[in-house]
Amino acid sequence: VETPIEEPAGTLSHHYEEVVPGLSPLTGLPYEGDGKVIMVQMENTKAARPHSGLSEAGIIYEMEVESTITRLTAFFHGTYPEKAGPVRSARKQHMFLWSEWNYLYIYYGGSKNLEGQDIDTWRQDLGITAKRLDGTITSVGFSRSTDRVAPHNAYTNLELVMAEAYDFEPKDRTLAYLDKEVEGGQPASKISLSYRADNKITYELREEEGVYDRFINGEPMMDKENNTQISVKNIIVQHVEHYHVKDTVYTNMEMIGTGAAEYFIGGTMKKGTWVRENESSMTKYYDEEGKEMAFQPGKTFIQIMRPESEVNVEG
């Protein structure tokens, strides 16, 4: 296997562990302040939609947790919604995501007391040093709404979390961002993918802004708090090995290693591979020629999918 060729660092405004002062580590966009990143684990079933606060997230991951049901991990920086959620539990694969980013992580319990799945054991084994706010052991920032029933009604106040609970200094980590337009690729104005029959996702390009609006099962995916549709500048589809955990409903996946990827950036599609070397390293993205991919400053949605998952593209 040929060693991927990295693009010259001078063409990038951000580069994984190299964060430029004054630019958000999540979006690469100008930012003023001393805010830190907060990761929030969110439910993603029909009962959880529309979400709260999601339109303010800079990076969002979607990945399976059990029986092809997915959850979202939303990253916030600079703007911290007073109501974000619904907050749900974490799984083994989320611990590997956490060890990659190592920011403050908010979740509501998780898979525990099961060999190979216990999130507290994985947190220790992976050497995660970032702070956690687990709703089963703390009430800081947590509340329950009255318009939904448990467990679909737990939320977190990120302004309160920033004021009362962010008491450590994380090491900033980021994606790689270009300071110029993406070159090459093929037109991609509409992208369709699916995890299951009740979770069919479409992205449609809003050409004038160069962003993709997100739809779920044919309907706009909205933020309940501000009635704003979720839209992003970049989409990464990252194909990883999935496997069912025997005698459970859990799905696990290989978050370390390499695999295929598709990138959608402002109306353009490129293919390539992702590489993550170890538990503490960042996942890096490369094009088909082995050159390091970079993304346009803006919000990013990362779809973690099975190797055989189809991604349909219309120019």
Side-chain angles (χ1 to χ4, degrees):
V1 178
E2 295 184 1
T3 302
I5 302 169
E6 294 193 1
E7 288 278 77
T11 65
L12 306 174
S13 60
H14 267 354
H15 186 248
Y16 296 108
E17 297 183 27
E18 302 167 10
V19 178
V20 177
L23 299 179
S24 167
L26 296 188
T27 65
L29 293 171
Y31 163 79
E32 294 182 3
D34 57 357
K36 303 176 179 71
V37 174
I38 301 174
M39 302 166 55
V40 181
Q41 193 58 49
M42 294 190 184
E43 183 181 354
N44 192 38
T45 64
K46 182 178 179 179
R49 305 185 199 114
H51 298 83
S52 292
L54 198 59
S55 65
E56 298 186 53
I59 294 175
I60 305 169
Y61 284 80
E62 179 172 13
M63 64 179 74
E64 292 184 33
V65 288
E66 55 192 50
S67 305
T68 67
I69 293 171
T70 67
R71 288 192 180 157
L72 308 178
T73 310
F75 290 57
F76 297 87
H77 174 258
T79 58
Y80 306 102
E82 294 183 7
K83 185 178 181 181
V87 182
R88 286 298 296 271
S89 57
R91 297 289 185 268
K92 172 184 173 181
Q93 50 265 41
H94 297 128
M95 298 298 104
F96 279 78
L97 182 63
W98 191 13
S99 72
E100 178 174 359
W101 289 92
N102 221 32
Y103 288 119
L104 185 147
Y105 185 25
I106 297 175
Y107 54 93
Y108 211 102
S111 52
K112 298 184 180 182
N113 304 317
L114 181 64
E115 185 177 358
Q117 302 299 307
D118 188 286
I119 61 170
D120 289 335
T121 300
W122 278 111
R123 179 172 57 88
Q124 296 169 8
D125 290 349
L126 292 170
I128 296 170
T129 57
K131 184 170 182 177
R132 59 177 171 151
L133 288 180
D134 180 348
T136 65
I137 58 178
T138 182
S139 60
V140 176
F142 285 98
S143 65
R144 288 196 179 272
S145 67
T146 58
D147 60 337
R148 297 180 180 180
V149 298
H152 316 293
N153 65 345
Y155 295 88
T156 178
N157 182 332
L158 299 188
E159 280 196 355
L160 186 62
V161 168
M162 278 299 301
E164 297 187 5
Y166 215 128
D167 54 2
F168 76 102
E169 289 294 330
K171 180 181 179 181
D172 281 340
R173 292 188 148 186
T174 182
L175 296 175
Y177 290 102
L178 280 171
D179 54 13
K180 61 179 181 180
E181 293 295 316
V182 176
E183 299 177 352
Q186 67 183 69
S189 61
K190 184 176 181 179
I191 304 109
S192 301
L193 50 94
S194 177
Y195 287 92
R196 50 189 281 145
D198 60 355
N199 187 7
K200 295 181 178 180
I201 301 155
T202 306
Y203 291 96
E204 295 185 6
L205 180 67
R206 195 172 354 127
E207 193 166 1
E208 57 273 20
E209 286 91 356
V211 299
Y212 287 101
D213 291 325
R214 197 173 198 266
F215 297 79
I216 181 82
N217 301 323
E219 298 293 332
M221 189 172 187
M222 306 297 291
D223 187 324
K224 183 174 182 289
E225 301 308 305
N226 56 20
N227 199 36
T228 298
Q229 186 171 5
I230 307 305
S231 62
V232 294
K233 191 79 171 182
N234 311 290
I235 305 162
I236 301 172
V237 181
Q238 181 177 334
H239 297 276
V240 310
E241 293 290 341
H242 288 54
Y243 55 94
H244 174 70
V245 181
K246 186 179 179 180
D247 299 326
T248 75
V249 296
Y250 295 150
T251 298
N252 281 176
M253 54 197 68
E254 297 294 343
M255 300 291 286
I256 296 172
T258 186
E262 291 99 13
Y263 315 110
F264 303 90
I265 307 171
T268 299
M269 173 189 175
K270 285 191 172 186
K271 293 184 178 181
T273 58
W274 63 271
V275 177
R276 183 177 176 189
E277 295 180 353
N278 55 53
E279 292 87 347
S280 60
S281 65
M282 295 292 295
T283 300
K284 294 186 178 182
Y285 300 98
Y286 301 90
D287 66 15
E288 290 182 297
E289 298 176 350
K291 294 181 180 179
E292 193 172 89
M293 279 293 301
F295 305 94
Q296 289 188 341
K299 298 179 180 182
T300 301
F301 214 116
I302 302 176
Q303 306 281 170
I304 306 294
M305 304 197 76
R306 296 171 181 259
E308 67 274 17
S309 296
E310 294 185 358
V311 180
N312 297 310
V313 182
E314 299 178 24

